[in-house]
């Protein structure tokens, strides 16, 4: 099916990035669909968060800034419509967000410190990736109190602080 075919290779278009999150929202309306999303080998929600921070997707996400909002709106819809209450999918989405933050922090350690006179970006456009990911997080975490509480329980605020203190980004972005 469609969900089984999801991968970074099949998601390289505006249409897919706009369409697939809507499918997930519709599938999650019942318990079987929720389990399907959680058990799918393609891990569709994890895939969406990984795409937001993947340097290969930066040009697409930068040229279509509304994509992060579309993706987060549908993920929020998945969370609001979950039949099992505020547990399985919420925890999964928070795990995906925390994992993406950990990935960014690990990548950032390999980048050189920001130099004010250097014109070339040597961070694989990390600031652009953080913009898209930040929009997604703001929308998902800012509209659902339970999701935000789970995020805070998982020490998400400390990770945000670490992201703000990355030495590879200009200080005025922090």
């Amino acid at each position: 099916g469609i969900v089984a075919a999801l991968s970074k290779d099949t998601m390289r278009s505006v249409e897919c990035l706009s369409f697939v999150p809507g499918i997930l929202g519709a599938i999650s309306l019942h318990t079987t669909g929720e389990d399907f999303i959680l058990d799918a080998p393609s891990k569709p929600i994890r895939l969406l968060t990984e795409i937001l921070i993947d340097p290969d997707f930066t040009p697409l996400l930068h040229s279509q800034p509304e994509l992060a909002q579309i993706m987060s709106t549908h993920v929020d819809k998945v969370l609001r419509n979950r039949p099992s209450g505020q547990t399985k999918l919420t925890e999964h989405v928070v795990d995906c967000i925390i994992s993406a933050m950990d990935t960014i922090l690990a990548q950032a350690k390999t980048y050189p410190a920001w130099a004010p006179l250097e014109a070339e970006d040597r961070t694989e456009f990390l600031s652009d990736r953080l913009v898209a990911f930040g929009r997604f997080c703001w929308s998902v975490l800012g509209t659902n109190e339970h999701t935000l509480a789970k995020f805070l329980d998982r020490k998400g605020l400390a990770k945000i602080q670490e992201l703000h203190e990355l030495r590879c980004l200009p200080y005025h972005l922090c």
Side-chain angles (χ1 to χ4, degrees):
I2 291 174
V3 176
L6 296 179
S7 70
K8 286 185 180 179
D9 290 331
T10 61
M11 296 288 288
R12 292 192 185 278
S13 73
V14 172
E15 294 77 17
C16 284
L17 290 174
S18 298
F19 179 70
V20 169
I23 291 174
L24 298 177
I27 289 172
S28 71
L29 291 173
H30 49 84
T31 304
T32 304
E34 179 178 340
D35 292 338
F36 178 78
I37 290 171
L38 290 169
D39 298 335
S42 62
K43 301 291 181 209
I45 294 175
R46 182 167 305 280
L47 178 63
L48 292 176
T49 56
E50 288 174 355
I51 284 170
L52 289 166
I53 62 168
D54 188 325
D56 293 337
F57 282 85
T58 303
L60 177 62
L61 292 167
H62 185 71
S63 70
Q64 303 288 325
E66 73 280 359
L67 277 176
Q69 185 63 44
I70 291 168
M71 292 164 67
S72 63
T73 297
H74 287 295
V75 170
D76 183 54
K77 191 182 295 183
V78 166
L79 294 174
R80 289 180 187 278
N81 295 330
R82 66 195 172 280
S84 69
Q86 302 179 350
T87 55
K88 294 191 304 185
L89 270 171
T90 301
E91 289 173 8
H92 179 66
V93 169
V94 170
D95 287 345
C96 292
I97 290 172
I98 296 290
S99 175
M101 290 175 147
D102 288 338
T103 298
I104 292 168
L105 291 167
Q107 288 173 348
K109 289 178 182 173
T110 67
Y111 301 141
W114 177 70
L117 300 177
E118 188 165 325
E120 180 184 345
D121 178 82
R122 298 186 300 156
T123 65
E124 299 177 287
F125 300 100
L126 180 58
S127 58
D128 290 330
R129 291 185 283 144
L130 285 172
V131 166
F133 182 67
R135 283 186 189 132
F136 177 86
C137 291
W138 179 262
S139 182
V140 171
L141 298 172
T143 58
N144 188 312
E145 188 176 308
H146 186 72
T147 307
L148 178 59
K150 287 279 184 202
F151 178 76
L152 295 174
D153 287 345
R154 292 280 321 276
K155 310 294 185 231
L157 195 56
K159 293 200 182 294
I160 290 173
Q161 183 175 355
E162 286 182 68
L163 291 169
H164 277 276
E165 295 172 351
L166 292 175
R167 64 181 186 84
C168 61
L169 294 176
Y171 66 90
H172 65 277
L173 290 178
C174 300

